Amino acid sequence: MSGTAIDDGRPADAVSGHWVDRFAPRSWRPYLRLARIDRPIGWWLLLLPCWWSSALAAIRAEQPFPDPWHCLLFLIGAVAMRGAGSTYNDLADRDLDAQVERTRQRPLPSGQVRPRHAALFLVVQALVGLAVLLQFNGDAILVGLCSLVPVAIYPFMKRIMPLPQAVLGLAFAWGALMGWAAVFARLDAPALLLYAGALCWVIGYDTIYAVQDIEDDEIAGIRSSARLFGQHVKLAVGTCYALAAILVLLAARGAGAGVVGYLGVAAFAAHLAWQALSLRDRDGRGALTLFRSNRDAGLILFAGLATDALLRGLS
């Protein structure tokens, strides 16, 4: 996919017609883009494992629905921490981003935002995330703080390891632990299985995302799973997705899910299978579409688990 800037400094993978470009003051736009507000798929993918975990906890606790307050906090926290993580990543990668066509129009490599201003913006977003985290019990707070380790090291992994998506997965899947810890103040087998499944899911969808940049990554020497798997990328994504579906199924079983929950897992697995079968080598535009479709895959799974909780809680 071409990464040529479209207009007003927007990179080519920005969502067309987003409110950031239509309504936000011009001086705010580079910062909103730095936080990826114009690309909501990022916070959706960070949020969904939190909601899955909340739904699993509701099933185990025989509650009719995931805790609404927790779900709202996870939403706010996902937006804030996705923005903070993206800002941190762009600060660390600004020299590499300048070498990749798709990313060279981001606010830092293009000069729209100065590094010291980006660092201050990062602190503000992190404080919002901390304020959200402090609303939970002590065990959930500790679990949440531990997520900072993979977040901190991820930007540097693409320089030294062939599968940096695994480290990204450790961070983006972390919500699978949070929903359970917020309810039970501990981590049990279903939460750990869900985390492992979400980790495989992240590796799979971020490998699809990396297909966009294979040519530029080869030139810049940036490592990625798409480069590692090469012509076998479809098989690799399919394997990651199959493991994700199996592990999520085991998590649902361990939490005591019923038929509706299993149907949700089956629909989730079917969506992932469609993605893997539809993937084409070095088809950047198609890869971006498939990557973005993971929001729908995640919502399908959440709907199945939440409905199962509702039916079991009311029975």
Side-chain angles (χ1 to χ4, degrees):
M1 175 179 174
S2 172
T4 305
I6 353 185
D7 64 313
D8 193 26
R10 287 190 296 138
D13 58 352
V15 176
S16 178
H18 195 271
W19 65 264
V20 167
D21 305 300
R22 292 187 295 160
F23 303 118
R26 187 171 296 272
S27 61
W28 293 13
R29 293 177 191 176
Y31 293 94
L32 293 173
R33 291 173 187 148
L34 191 61
R36 306 292 197 273
I37 298 299
D38 60 331
R39 278 172 280 180
I41 184 60
W43 60 256
W44 270 113
L45 295 177
L46 191 61
L47 169 66
L48 285 163
C50 300
W51 281 4
W52 299 347
S53 188
S54 292
L56 272 189
I59 292 172
R60 170 62 71 86
E62 298 184 351
Q63 298 172 346
F65 42 76
D67 189 302
W69 176 238
H70 289 176
C71 289
L72 176 61
L73 288 173
F74 287 139
L75 171 59
I76 298 169
V79 174
M81 293 312 295
R82 166 58 174 167
S86 296
T87 304
Y88 173 70
N89 186 77
D90 284 6
L91 278 165
D93 282 355
R94 58 188 184 275
D95 294 333
L96 290 177
D97 284 345
Q99 303 176 56
V100 177
E101 186 180 3
R102 183 179 59 83
T103 58
R104 62 171 53 111
Q105 285 299 322
R106 285 179 175 174
L108 279 164
S110 66
Q112 299 172 60
V113 175
R114 295 180 180 181
R116 65 175 180 271
H117 294 159
L120 178 60
F121 185 50
L122 165 61
V123 171
V124 171
Q125 294 174 94
L127 288 174
V128 173
L130 178 61
V132 169
L133 183 61
L134 293 177
Q135 306 307 307
F136 294 104
N137 63 58
D139 294 86
I141 291 172
L142 180 60
V143 170
L145 289 175
C146 290
S147 71
L148 296 178
V149 175
V151 170
I153 66 174
Y154 166 68
F156 308 102
M157 294 300 101
K158 66 187 69 174
R159 297 167 170 85
I160 62 174
M161 66 180 293
L163 192 63
Q165 279 74 17
V167 181
L168 180 72
L170 292 174
F172 261 70
W174 208 269
L177 304 175
M178 289 297 298
W180 191 277
V183 172
F184 296 112
R186 64 178 189 270
L187 293 176
D188 299 310
L192 298 175
L193 287 166
L194 185 67
Y195 178 65
L199 170 61
C200 293
W201 180 55
V202 176
I203 295 173
Y205 72 58
D206 204 60
T207 298
I208 292 175
Y209 187 75
V211 167
Q212 300 175 87
D213 298 327
I214 286 182
E215 291 86 355
D216 287 335
D217 286 351
E218 289 171 346
I219 294 171
I222 299 172
R223 300 174 184 269
S224 76
S225 53
R227 287 188 62 197
L228 174 67
F229 298 134
Q231 295 181 347
H232 305 292
V233 67
K234 179 181 288 192
L235 174 62
V237 169
T239 301
C240 288
Y241 278 171
L243 288 172
I246 291 170
L247 289 164
V248 171
L249 177 63
L250 292 174
R253 183 174 181 270
V259 173
V260 175
Y262 292 144
L263 289 175
V265 175
F268 173 67
H271 196 293
L272 299 188
W274 165 77
Q275 290 181 45
L277 292 172
S278 301
L279 183 61
R280 299 291 179 267
D281 185 38
R282 296 181 185 259
D283 176 15
R285 188 177 298 276
L288 181 60
T289 299
L290 291 173
F291 166 75
R292 286 175 172 168
S293 75
N294 278 283
R295 181 202 65 173
D296 299 333
L299 285 173
I300 287 169
L301 176 57
F302 174 67
L305 296 176
T307 303
D308 190 88
L310 176 63
L311 294 177
R312 293 169 66 83
L314 296 178
S315 63

